[in-house]
Amino acid sequence: MHVAADAEVGPARAPLSRDRVLRAAVRIADDGGLGALTMRRLAEDLGAEAMSLYYHVANKDEVLDGIADAVGREINEVVDALDVPSAGPQWKQAVRRRILAAREVLLRHPWVPAVFETRAAMSPEILRYHDRLLGLMRDGGFSYDLAHHALHALGSRALGFSQELFTPAAGGGGAGDGDELADLAERLPNLAGLLEHISHDDPGSTLGWCDDQEEFEFGLDLLLDGLDRLRERSSS
Amino acid sequence: MHVAADAEVGPARAPLSRDRVLRAAVRIADDGGLGALTMRRLAEDLGAEAMSLYYHVANKDEVLDGIADAVGREINEVVDALDVPSAGPQWKQAVRRRILAAREVLLRHPWVPAVFETRAAMSPEILRYHDRLLGLMRDGGFSYDLAHHALHALGSRALGFSQELFTPAAGGGGAGDGDELADLAERLPNLAGLLEHISHDDPGSTLGWCDDQEEFEFGLDLLLDGLDRLRERSSS
DNA sequence: ACCTGAACACCGTTCAAGT
DNA sequence: ACCTGAACACCGTTCAAGT
């Protein structure tokens, strides 16, 4: 069928390198999720044996650190090109735009939150990202204390994501009808009321149930507005 | 040395059950973290073979679902005993107390956030927790729309945790002195300034760097205060 | 310097077999 | 009904050996 020539002619294969390994790792995670990222699969994609990887990276942990940093670099490239005025009251728009731009990068790499949650603190690129964010707040007149609190309050939202912990659609059980729905309304009266209200209000939204982007921005603005109020109060 | 009698006399061993399996799983995670929780280790702790577990649970995924639900039950037992007035403006204190009580349970099970982030939405107990939280907001006069937004805005904070994504102490490199510190101050001027300010202000805090409980409450109150303002505005 | 084969110590899980 | 032994298909990783 196909001519399997690649393995036998030409310059055999581009030599491995730490950079090529990490680039392949990002691609695998993008395509198949974090579960697809194994040392053996990684080597296969590079046309090498799993053991060859260990010449370029110490272990899998270093691969995960590496791809976290790689996405951090991608984020910084995007947000550093933004150049929004940040003096005084403009800090809020500057921070908002920066965070939403970072979020757009994350949406291309849905596996990133899981990796960031365990090792983002170690990444030089993520540290750089937070440093610049802190700079915008300082431009806006934040004291170090308030800026420090602000970073903690934002948490992962500063990087553009929030765990979608609450997805009620999954809780109903799916298949259950009739009796089961009545039982649910009794056990979870408030959630049932919410569900009824939402599906009545906007039947089309039942599928996704919640507009994630809208909810993300609601929570972000709630925090930014609250921080802005504290900033004004402290600088008066 | 020791008399190894347990295996040979008495009622041999308590029979396995789904409940005993889950209880042992929680204990293992509490003691050794989520990484220590393997089917083989779980069986060993119960004095059985790994394969015996599959008679009581379908697979490891069900074990993880089960321990998430078990902690959810533990949380509900604590918060249901609270009984704080929640009518009108009192909703905020009621929600606040409830969330901080949930947090106390989580502090006893540090592995829980990692499990919740992947499967809390499926847990009947966690659903029940959110239903009651939603009920408090309804008592306070929240519309379903605002309450819905509020749950998303709180995210995992509703359950008492926030990812500690930003731990600058890890980023410095630890060992580096002199030149490396100067280099860091140049690359991360704002974080360096923050670090200097904090360690000057309160030298004792350098060890833990941030008071997690204090930061958690700051972020929580920022959200609750903002939500309360929206509630007042909408109900006027 | 760069890559590999064979091997080790782990996983979760299946399945036929025991009591 | 409840439990188990042997075995399978995976992991990450080491180490001596190849070019």
Side-chain angles (χ1 to χ4, degrees):
Chain A
M1 319 310 179
H2 291 76
V3 181
D6 291 12
E8 299 182 278
V9 294
R13 186 200 60 223
L16 294 178
S17 72
R18 185 185 151 84
D19 205 65
R20 260 171 49 80
V21 169
L22 294 182
R23 221 183 296 274
V26 169
R27 189 169 3 93
I28 291 172
D30 284 345
D31 291 351
L34 227 44
L37 180 56
T38 70
M39 296 302 271
R40 283 170 161 91
R41 166 72 194 279
L42 186 48
E44 191 186 352
D45 270 34
L46 290 163
E49 299 300 318
M51 309 79 206
S52 309
L53 301 175
Y54 289 86
Y55 190 82
H56 299 95
V57 294
N59 48 38
K60 188 176 180 179
D61 238 61
E62 204 177 287
V63 172
L64 293 172
D65 286 339
I67 60 177
D69 206 52
V71 175
R73 169 166 286 120
E74 196 180 335
I75 291 175
N76 281 328
E77 276 166 15
V78 170
V79 299
D80 284 349
L82 240 42
D83 195 32
V84 181
S86 56
Q90 295 176 302
W91 80 272
K92 199 167 69 172
Q93 264 304 314
V95 165
R96 191 178 197 276
R97 298 257 323 252
R98 217 179 170 83
I99 288 177
L100 292 179
R103 178 175 170 85
E104 280 181 42
V105 175
L106 293 199
L107 292 178
R108 297 201 295 266
H109 306 292
W111 48 272
V112 164
V115 178
F116 274 11
E117 259 150 50
T118 54
R119 58 232 311 147
M122 318 291 186
S123 156
E125 293 288 340
I126 300 297
L127 276 174
R128 188 176 185 283
Y129 176 84
H130 281 101
D131 185 81
R132 299 306 181 266
L133 207 62
L134 213 166
L136 296 182
M137 293 178 181
R138 293 288 289 166
D139 291 348
F142 279 61
S143 71
Y144 273 124
D145 271 351
L146 183 55
H148 181 210
H149 275 125
L151 285 181
H152 276 284
L154 287 170
S156 62
R157 266 203 177 84
L159 275 163
F161 68 97
S162 59
Q163 323 92 297
E164 284 306 324
L165 187 57
F166 184 61
T167 53
D177 304 320
D179 269 13
E180 199 159 333
L181 244 173
D183 180 48
L184 185 125
E186 195 175 328
R187 281 189 354 264
L188 308 173
N190 303 293
L191 284 176
L194 173 62
L195 182 59
E196 189 189 4
H197 173 82
I198 289 188
S199 59
H200 178 267
D201 217 50
D202 174 13
S205 78
T206 310
L207 205 140
W209 225 73
C210 305
D211 183 326
D212 289 334
Q213 181 71 24
E214 190 186 317
E215 297 300 346
F216 181 84
E217 295 191 19
F218 179 88
L220 178 60
D221 289 338
L222 200 60
L223 289 164
L224 294 181
D225 289 346
L227 291 168
D228 201 38
R229 237 181 315 264
L230 294 178
R231 177 192 73 93
E232 279 170 350
R233 192 189 305 168
S234 73
S235 69
S236 65
Chain B
M1 318 308 177
H2 290 78
V3 180
D6 290 12
E8 300 183 275
V9 293
R13 184 199 61 222
L16 293 179
S17 72
R18 185 185 150 82
D19 205 65
R20 259 170 52 79
V21 168
L22 294 181
R23 220 184 296 274
V26 169
R27 190 168 4 91
I28 291 172
D30 284 347
D31 290 351
L34 227 43
L37 180 56
T38 70
M39 296 300 272
R40 283 170 161 92
R41 167 70 194 281
L42 186 49
E44 191 186 352
D45 270 35
L46 290 162
E49 300 301 316
M51 308 79 207
S52 310
L53 302 175
Y54 289 86
Y55 191 82
H56 299 95
V57 294
N59 47 38
K60 189 176 179 179
D61 240 59
E62 203 176 288
V63 173
L64 293 172
D65 285 339
I67 60 176
D69 207 52
V71 175
R73 169 167 285 120
E74 197 180 335
I75 290 175
N76 280 329
E77 275 166 16
V78 170
V79 299
D80 283 348
L82 240 41
D83 195 33
V84 181
S86 56
Q90 295 176 304
W91 79 273
K92 198 167 71 169
Q93 265 304 312
V95 166
R96 188 179 200 277
R97 296 257 323 254
R98 215 176 171 83
I99 289 177
L100 292 179
R103 177 175 171 85
E104 278 180 45
V105 175
L106 294 198
L107 292 178
R108 296 200 295 265
H109 306 292
W111 48 272
V112 164
V115 177
F116 275 11
E117 258 150 52
T118 56
R119 60 233 312 147
M122 317 289 187
S123 157
E125 293 288 342
I126 300 295
L127 277 174
R128 187 175 186 284
Y129 175 82
H130 281 101
D131 186 80
R132 299 305 181 266
L133 207 60
L134 213 166
L136 296 182
M137 292 177 183
R138 293 287 291 165
D139 292 346
F142 279 59
S143 71
Y144 273 125
D145 271 351
L146 183 56
H148 181 210
H149 276 124
L151 284 181
H152 276 284
L154 287 170
S156 61
R157 265 201 179 84
L159 275 163
F161 69 97
S162 59
Q163 324 93 299
E164 283 306 326
L165 188 57
F166 185 63
T167 53
D177 303 321
D179 268 15
E180 201 159 330
L181 243 173
D183 179 49
L184 185 128
E186 194 175 328
R187 281 191 352 266
L188 308 173
N190 302 293
L191 284 176
L194 174 61
L195 183 59
E196 190 189 3
H197 172 81
I198 290 186
S199 60
H200 177 267
D201 219 50
D202 176 11
S205 78
T206 310
L207 206 140
W209 224 73
C210 307
D211 182 326
D212 288 334
Q213 181 72 21
E214 189 186 319
E215 297 299 346
F216 181 84
E217 295 192 20
F218 178 89
L220 178 61
D221 289 338
L222 200 60
L223 289 165
L224 294 181
D225 288 346
L227 291 167
D228 201 38
R229 237 181 315 261
L230 293 177
R231 178 192 72 94
E232 279 172 349
R233 193 189 305 169
S234 73
S235 70
S236 66

